[in-house]
Amino acid sequence: MLLLQFSTSHYCRKARLALGYKGISYQVENLTPGLHTLKLKPLTGLTTVPVLLPQIEGQPQAIADSTEIFKYLEHNYPDPPLFFVDPHLQTQAALLEDWLDESIGTATRFVYYQFRSGDGKQIDPSLSSLLVIRVVCWQYQINTAAVELAKTRLKTAFEVLEVWKERLYLVGDRISIADIAAAALLSPLALIPEYRQSYPWIFDRTTEIHNICGELLPPGLGD
C-alpha cells in the first residue's frame, strides 16, 4: 500500500495511526503542496490528502479522505476493529470523528499556524519553513478573528474530551475512530506551551495512542 500525504498534515497522521493500529505494512510518498494537485486530480477528482493506494488487484485504485480510508480499512482488514458492532456505540464514535474532522481539525490548523507565524517562529526559522507558513496563512485566510473563533472551538473540544481523564477511551472499552481522530487532529498543539500546560492529559493520551499504533510521536511529544 502507498499513502500519498503531506508529511506535516494532521489529517494524514490520522490515516497513519489507523494503518498502524491495523498492523498494515505501507509506504508513504510525500507530495509537494501546490504540485500535489497534478498527481491527485487524475486519481480521485479531488486535490486533498491523504489518499491511500491499496495497489491490490480487485480493490479500489485510490481512496481519498481519512474517513473513507477508515471505512476501507475496516471492511478489508477488520481485525483489530476500529468500528463497533453495537450501532449505538458506533454512532457515537462516528459523530465524534466527524465533529473532530470538520470543526476541530480546522481549528487546530488555524491556531497552530498563527502560533508558528508569531511566537513559534523560532521552532524552524528556515526560509522554506517561513514561506510555507505564510502560504498556508494566506491560503486558509488565517487572521485574528478566525483564530479567536478557532480557540473557542478548541476550548469546547477539550471540555468534551475530558472523558479521557476518567477512562482510556472516548467511546466504549477500546480504541475507536474517535480516539484516533482526537489523537491525530489535536497533535499539532503539542508544540504550543499554553495547551501543553493547560491540558496535559490530552497529550498523555495522544502519546499512548501513538505508541499503541506504532506511529512516531508528533513534534513536541517526542523530545
Side-chain angles (χ1 to χ4, degrees), residues 59-188:
Q59 295 194 13
Q61 178 188 12
I63 300 101
D65 184 77
S66 58
T67 300
E68 293 304 312
I69 290 172
F70 279 175
K71 294 176 183 177
Y72 164 80
L73 293 177
E74 192 71 8
H75 178 74
N76 291 279
Y77 305 90
D79 294 316
L82 278 171
F83 287 25
F84 293 105
V85 175
D86 183 322
H88 178 66
L89 291 178
Q90 181 54 29
T91 296
Q92 282 186 290
L95 286 172
L96 269 174
E97 188 259 342
D98 182 67
W99 170 65
L100 288 160
D101 228 34
E102 298 300 323
S103 180
I104 305 310
T106 300
T108 295
R109 177 189 289 134
F110 275 51
V111 171
Y112 172 76
Y113 278 101
Q114 190 260 357
F115 170 74
R116 287 296 310 277
S117 67
D119 293 343
K121 190 178 295 185
Q122 293 308 310
I123 291 173
D124 182 355
S126 67
L127 182 60
S128 59
S129 175
L130 297 177
L131 180 60
V132 167
I133 292 167
R134 180 171 295 184
V135 168
V136 171
C137 288
W138 171 80
Q139 179 182 2
Y140 291 103
Q141 298 182 13
I142 298 176
N143 54 48
T144 301
V147 170
E148 288 306 310
L149 177 60
K151 287 181 177 180
T152 300
R153 288 179 177 172
L154 286 174
K155 183 178 179 182
T156 300
F158 290 128
E159 291 171 358
V160 171
L161 299 179
E162 277 194 355
V163 66
W164 260 350
K165 283 183 175 181
E166 307 299 328
R167 61 176 193 248
L168 292 177
Y169 311 108
L170 295 175
V171 180
D173 59 0
R174 59 171 172 78
I175 283 182
S176 72
I177 56 176
D179 299 290
I180 295 288
L185 298 178
L186 293 171
S187 63

Side-chain angles (χ1 to χ4, degrees), residues 187-200:
S187 63
L189 302 178
L191 280 171
I192 304 178
E194 172 189 350
Y195 288 100
R196 283 295 301 277
Q197 292 162 12
S198 299
Y199 307 100

Side-chain angles (χ1 to χ4, degrees), residues 202-214:
I202 285 285
F203 301 104
D204 289 345
R205 191 64 188 132
T206 294
T207 297
E208 291 168 3
I209 290 170
H210 276 72
N211 289 336
I212 290 170
C213 296

